[in-house]
């Protein structure tokens, strides 16, 4: 029996969960079909999901059809829970995108599509809600074909294994080799079947089907085509390799790690290497579960191609490879907002922090952090709905009442040109000195460490310590205290003392060198920017273009048809994050807006933001700009602007200007 993992993805309210119910019912995985409005669906089992009628968590189920076992992942459709959706993509064999026959291709549909193409996941489309007033499946298919991919192919109905002639023609038009064979008449029916499967798997065609999940129309036909066109080739013989895609905790606080087996077999009591960290010790698997909705069964092993959960792993994160797969996949969809967690006595900080650390393990995109200077707990989020859900989770799951401060834009900082930074740490009986070169990196490159220090200058072990310190998260800029990014940090030289250098000395020296370099640099404030696409009636074009300009955005020449104008461009998140409400009001709900954060760019209002933040770069005792030197048994501080002339390393690098 082959194993196939499929994921359901859609813009919110396209009918995805109802579609999942029908798949499970038709394959006899469930006895009766639930409905979202009746709050009794098999997969939306959390009280929050029932109350709001939306999918928040990526839950899973199993069903069997023919000789195939399908693992089904129902992912969130709301943009605020996009990171949860994206984590599921890492383990999919095939994706099914649900599109409403009334609303058509919507903003989040395009975001989902772009992610699927970057991950290279073969994709099916199901045009749903064909029973509704205003449904136009042909128009929606044309939208998919025009806006997403010209590889979209509307499948005709056929009963036996022989492909209809019109379908063969469509396939031949998309592949030169098949076209030649078609004219020669050299392909057998099995050749045609294999060719179509290959074209689906290689992303050359994207089959489209239609129906109504609510009225049970088109479901059997979809399942027939799914079974006919999906193939996998997992190897259960080789050493075990898997990918972590989810972390959860049960009612007792036990950590449960969800894994997709990509190769080999994993057995209970085996030891598993914990992801890509070189120094991690293997941990023993104490339990394996096959999860199906709310229920699970305990098993002794899991094989390639299967989704399962294990107990015993304490360090891995979603995206980590385990076993013989030692790499990590990070999410592309990252929050651009941060919010302060608000709570009052008798609630204790330790309780709140412990709860959010658990939530942070389950959803790394929260980036839970404690600001020592401000004595505040911060989280990063995608939007206001996510904050409302988190407030409910904290109340219902942890019995802790919290609120959140207004979401703020998550700014970042970098530098404009290369500078040198030096740091010296020499209180009595300690010694470390570091020389760095700081350079701006490419946009989106994050923090990068380059080691050009010769072992004759500094022992390799100390060099590694400096690299670890510089690559830690938490370094912040001097304009607003926002995280540093897009920075190349090159270790040029260093100096230690045979007797007085201790473990933490190079940490202090490296941080001082980084800070001293930033003090000399031209610091740049970066803000998140949307790539936007707006589809509207041509009569609204002038108003929308004016709005974009007033929001400090830029756009290309609109694409015009008789019934639609499409504008694409870039605009700061800070000025456009609530534009969907205005667009809906202006167009009576007929305008379509697609927004995706794709990059950070220099802030369009740096002076205003810096003034509002009112950040004091010298108020953090853990982030000093001065170096510490020692003379005659007495330590003394040296301000950053004078540190270079006191350094013991040669001073032949450019002076401070």
């Amino acid at each position: 029996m082959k194993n196939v993992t499929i994921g359901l993805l859609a813009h919110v309210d396209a009918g995805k969960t109802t579609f999942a119910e029908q798949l499970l019912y038709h394959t006899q995985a469930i006895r009766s079909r639930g409905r979202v409005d009746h709050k009794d669906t098999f997969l939306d089992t959390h009280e929050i999901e029932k109350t709001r009628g939306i999918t928040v968590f990526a839950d899973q189920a199993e069903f069997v059809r023919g000789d195939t076992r399908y693992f089904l992942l129902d992912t969130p459709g709301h943009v605020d829970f996009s990171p949860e959706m994206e984590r599921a993509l890492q383990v999919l064999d095939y994706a099914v995108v649900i599109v409403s026959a009334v609303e058509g291709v919507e903003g989040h549909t395009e975001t989902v599509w772009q992610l699927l193409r970057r991950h290279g996941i073969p994709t099916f489309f199901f045009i749903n809600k064909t029973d509704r007033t205003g449904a136009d499946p042909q128009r929606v298919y044309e939208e998919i074909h025009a806006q997403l991919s010209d590889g979209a192919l509307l499948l005709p109905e056929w009963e036996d294994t022989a492909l209809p002639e019109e379908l063969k023609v469509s396939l031949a038009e998309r592949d030169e080799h098949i076209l030649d064979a078609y004219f020669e008449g050299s392909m057998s029916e099995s050749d045609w079947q294999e060719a179509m499967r290959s074209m689906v798997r290689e992303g050359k065609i994207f089959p489209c089907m239609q129906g109504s999940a609510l009225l049970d129309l088109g479901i059997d036909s979809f399942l027939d085509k799914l079974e006919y066109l999906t193939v996998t080739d997992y190897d259960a013989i080789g050493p075990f390799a898997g990918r972590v895609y989810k972390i959860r905790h049960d009612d007792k606080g036990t950590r449960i790690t969800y894994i997709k087996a990509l190769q080999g077999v994993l057995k209970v009591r085996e030891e598993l290497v914990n992801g890509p960290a070189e120094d991690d010790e293997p941990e023993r698997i104490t339990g394996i579960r096959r999860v199906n909705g709310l229920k699970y069964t305990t098993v002794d092993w899991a094989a390639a191609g299967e989704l399962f959960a294990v107990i015993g792993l304490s360090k891995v994160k979603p995206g980590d490879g385990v076993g013989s797969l030692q790499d990590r996949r990070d999410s592309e969809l990252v929050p651009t907002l941060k919010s302060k967690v608000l709570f009052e006595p008798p609630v204790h900080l330790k309780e709140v922090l412990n709860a959010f650390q658990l939530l942070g393990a389950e959803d790394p995109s929260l980036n839970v952090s404690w600001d020592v200077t401000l004595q505040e707990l911060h989280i990063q989020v995608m939007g206001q709905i996510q904050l409302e859900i988190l407030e409910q989770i904290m109340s219902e799951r942890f019995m802790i009442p919290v609120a959140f401060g207004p979401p703020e834009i998550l700014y970042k900082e970098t530098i404009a040109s290369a500078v040198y930074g030096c740091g010296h740490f020499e209180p009595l009986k300690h010694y470390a000195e570091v020389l760095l070169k700081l350079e701006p990196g490419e946009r989106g490159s994050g923090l990068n460490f380059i080691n050009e220090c010769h072992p004759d200058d500094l022992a390799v072990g100390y060099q590694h310590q400096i690299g670890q310190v510089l690559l830690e998260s938490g370094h912040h800029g001097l304009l607003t205290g926002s995280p540093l990014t897009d920075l190349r940090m090159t270790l040029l030289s260093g100096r230690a003392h045979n007797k007085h250098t201790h473990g933490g000395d190079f940490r202090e020296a490296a941080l001082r060198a980084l800070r001293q370099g930033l003090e000399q640099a031209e610091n740049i404030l970066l803000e998140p920017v949307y790539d936007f696409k707006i589809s509207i009636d041509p009569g609204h074009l002038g108003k929308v273009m004016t709005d974009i300009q007033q929001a400090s955005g830029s756009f290309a020449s609109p694409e015009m048809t008789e019934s639609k104008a499409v504008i694409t461009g870039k605009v700061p998140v800070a000025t456009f994050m609530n534009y969907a409400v205005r667009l809906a009001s202006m167009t009576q709900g007929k305008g379509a807006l697609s927004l995706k954060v794709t990059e950070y760019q220099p802030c369009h209002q740096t002076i205003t933001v810096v003034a509002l933040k009112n950040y004091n770069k010298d108020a953090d005792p853990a982030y000093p700009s001065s170096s510490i030197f020692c003379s005659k048994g007495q330590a003394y501080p040296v301000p950053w602007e004078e540190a270079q002339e006191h350094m013991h390393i040669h001073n032949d690098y450019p002076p401070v200007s």
Side-chain angles (χ1 to χ4, degrees):
M1 181 171 286
K2 67 179 179 182
N3 296 315
V4 177
T5 300
I6 62 172
L8 303 185
L9 305 102
H11 189 96
V12 68
D13 290 334
K16 176 173 50 59
T17 299
T18 304
F19 183 77
E21 291 290 307
Q22 292 289 9
L23 296 186
L24 296 174
Y25 178 76
H26 277 255
T27 55
Q28 300 179 345
I30 57 177
R31 294 183 178 179
S32 61
R33 291 164 285 205
R35 287 180 49 156
V36 174
D37 53 347
H38 293 171
K39 304 180 182 180
D40 60 354
T41 58
F42 184 75
L43 288 174
D44 281 355
T45 55
H46 300 264
E47 195 58 40
I48 292 170
E49 295 175 313
K50 293 179 181 179
T51 301
R52 291 182 174 263
I54 61 173
T55 301
V56 175
F57 309 100
D59 285 328
Q60 64 194 62
E62 289 184 25
F63 63 88
V64 175
R65 186 174 174 94
D67 64 349
T68 304
R69 178 193 291 114
Y70 292 95
F71 296 89
L72 175 67
L73 286 172
D74 183 19
T75 68
H78 196 286
V79 65
D80 279 17
F81 308 103
S82 297
E84 176 88 352
M85 174 271 294
E86 189 184 3
R87 286 190 287 272
L89 298 190
Q90 299 178 1
V91 297
L92 297 186
D93 296 312
Y94 293 86
V96 182
V97 177
I98 313 297
V99 184
S100 168
V102 179
E103 285 78 14
V105 174
E106 300 179 85
H108 193 57
T109 317
E110 297 200 25
T111 299
V112 164
W113 175 251
Q114 292 162 5
L115 282 172
L116 289 171
R117 300 289 41 87
R118 275 195 284 276
H119 284 272
I121 300 171
T123 303
F124 296 84
F125 287 95
F126 187 82
I127 301 172
N128 192 26
K129 301 189 176 184
T130 55
D131 59 299
R132 279 184 51 194
T133 302
D136 189 344
Q138 182 61 34
R139 171 184 59 81
V140 173
Y141 166 68
E142 291 170 1
E143 286 183 8
I144 294 171
H145 194 273
Q147 298 180 33
L148 303 184
S149 174
D150 59 7
L153 178 61
L154 191 61
L155 297 187
E157 290 294 332
W158 76 89
E159 297 298 330
D160 52 25
T161 57
L163 271 61
E165 192 66 20
E166 61 181 296
L167 183 53
K168 291 179 180 179
V169 171
S170 295
L171 297 178
E173 290 173 343
R174 289 166 164 80
D175 188 290
E176 289 185 11
H177 297 294
I178 296 177
L179 183 62
D180 291 340
Y182 176 75
F183 284 125
E184 294 169 1
S186 59
M187 290 180 67
S188 66
E189 288 301 329
S190 61
D191 290 336
W192 279 108
Q193 295 167 24
E194 183 56 37
M196 188 172 180
R197 292 188 186 109
S198 296
M199 292 179 76
V200 171
R201 196 172 188 184
E202 294 168 9
K204 293 182 177 179
I205 62 170
F206 305 100
C208 300
M209 289 152 277
Q210 64 185 46
S212 168
L214 186 62
L215 297 187
D216 195 5
L217 301 175
I219 305 301
D220 268 328
S221 176
F222 172 84
L223 283 166
D224 288 341
K225 305 302 186 294
L226 185 71
E227 184 180 1
Y228 185 87
L229 294 173
T230 54
V231 290
T232 56
D233 53 359
Y234 288 105
D235 174 17
I237 305 301
F240 177 78
R243 174 83 61 195
V244 176
Y245 64 95
K246 184 166 66 172
I247 301 291
R248 291 291 183 265
H249 296 83
D250 65 16
D251 294 339
K252 298 178 181 178
T254 303
R255 196 175 200 261
I256 304 170
T257 303
Y258 289 73
I259 299 174
K260 166 74 172 285
L262 302 174
Q263 177 181 281
V265 174
L266 181 67
K267 298 178 181 178
V268 175
R269 292 182 291 279
E270 282 191 18
E271 290 190 338
L272 199 59
V273 179
N274 276 329
E278 294 180 0
D279 56 350
D280 275 350
E281 292 294 326
E283 293 184 303
R284 189 179 300 277
I285 302 300
T286 58
I288 299 178
R289 300 175 175 180
R290 289 274 295 275
V291 180
N292 193 15
L294 282 177
K295 300 178 180 179
Y296 69 85
T297 55
T298 302
V299 295
D300 293 327
W301 54 272
E306 295 182 349
L307 301 186
F308 58 97
V310 303
I311 299 171
L313 301 183
S314 62
K315 301 173 185 176
V316 292
K317 301 176 181 178
D320 280 349
V322 290
S324 61
L325 181 65
Q326 293 299 292
D327 69 357
R328 171 166 180 76
R329 291 184 178 178
D330 291 312
S331 297
E332 293 184 27
L333 299 177
V334 294
T336 57
L337 303 174
K338 68 176 181 179
S339 184
K340 180 171 65 174
V341 182
L342 306 174
F343 56 93
E344 297 178 353
V347 176
H348 194 275
L349 168 63
K350 188 175 181 180
E351 291 180 82
V352 180
L353 191 55
N354 286 343
F356 272 101
Q357 285 173 340
L358 280 181
L359 294 176
E362 297 174 358
D363 182 0
S365 70
L366 287 175
N367 288 302
V368 180
S369 63
W370 171 250
D371 190 313
V372 177
T373 305
L374 299 176
Q375 294 290 291
E376 293 176 350
L377 182 62
H378 292 153
I379 60 170
Q380 296 178 15
V381 294
M382 299 294 288
Q384 183 63 44
I385 298 297
Q386 187 181 5
L387 287 177
E388 294 173 11
I389 295 293
L390 285 170
E391 186 174 332
Q392 197 170 343
I393 288 173
M394 288 294 292
S395 175
E396 295 177 2
R397 179 173 166 185
F398 299 103
M399 279 74 75
I400 299 176
V402 299
F404 297 96
E408 301 177 7
I409 297 295
L410 184 61
Y411 294 96
K412 296 183 180 181
E413 296 186 32
T414 189
I415 61 175
S417 58
V419 293
Y420 292 86
C422 56
H424 188 96
F425 184 69
E426 191 186 0
L428 190 60
K429 296 185 179 180
H430 292 266
Y431 188 95
E433 187 164 279
V434 172
L435 174 62
L436 302 175
K437 183 179 182 181
L438 306 181
E439 301 169 278
E442 294 182 2
R443 286 288 173 265
S445 62
L447 299 179
N448 289 280
F449 174 71
I450 300 96
N451 190 354
E452 295 183 359
C453 180
H454 197 280
D456 290 348
D457 294 337
L458 188 65
V460 172
Y462 290 138
Q463 295 178 26
H464 288 163
Q465 286 183 23
I466 294 168
Q468 289 174 355
V469 169
L470 294 177
L471 290 176
E472 289 177 354
S473 61
H475 301 311
H476 45 273
L478 306 186
L479 296 175
T480 62
S482 298
L484 278 175
T485 190
D486 302 345
L487 188 65
R488 288 165 47 92
M489 303 169 287
T490 303
L491 175 61
L492 299 178
S493 188
R495 183 172 287 188
H497 191 281
N498 289 336
K499 182 178 179 181
H500 295 314
T501 297
H502 299 284
D505 294 355
F506 275 101
R507 177 180 187 82
E508 294 289 339
L511 290 175
R512 284 168 164 80
L514 175 61
R515 172 68 186 266
Q516 200 258 359
L518 293 177
E519 290 283 2
Q520 302 170 65
E522 178 189 348
N523 291 265
I524 299 175
L525 186 66
L526 302 174
E527 66 178 345
V529 172
Y530 284 132
D531 270 0
F532 71 82
K533 181 177 181 180
I534 301 175
S535 300
I536 49 172
D537 183 282
H540 299 296
L541 184 60
K543 290 181 182 178
V544 172
M545 292 172 65
T546 299
D547 287 345
I548 296 168
Q549 291 171 334
Q550 291 177 345
S552 300
S554 60
F555 51 87
S557 298
E559 298 177 14
M560 304 293 295
T561 66
E562 290 184 5
S563 60
K564 184 184 295 184
V566 178
I567 315 172
T568 58
K570 296 181 182 294
V571 66
V573 171
T575 59
F576 222 64
M577 59 188 298
N578 297 317
Y579 190 69
V581 176
R582 170 166 169 75
L583 183 68
S585 174
M586 184 192 310
T587 64
Q588 290 76 51
K590 296 180 180 178
L593 172 64
S594 171
L595 297 173
K596 185 186 176 187
V597 177
T598 54
E599 59 186 330
Y600 272 73
Q601 291 185 357
C603 183
H604 74 288
Q605 49 179 4
T606 296
I607 295 175
T608 301
V609 174
V610 169
L612 285 173
K613 292 288 185 181
N614 195 27
Y615 173 69
N616 182 356
K617 64 181 182 179
D618 298 317
D620 186 353
Y623 197 41
S625 61
S626 60
S627 282
I628 305 297
F629 289 82
C630 187
S631 177
K632 299 178 181 179
Q634 185 68 40
Y636 61 96
V638 173
W640 69 265
E641 60 265 37
E642 301 174 15
Q644 179 181 340
E645 60 194 65
H646 287 73
M647 292 286 283
H648 298 167
I649 297 174
H650 56 82
N651 283 334
D652 58 355
Y653 55 96
V656 178
S657 58

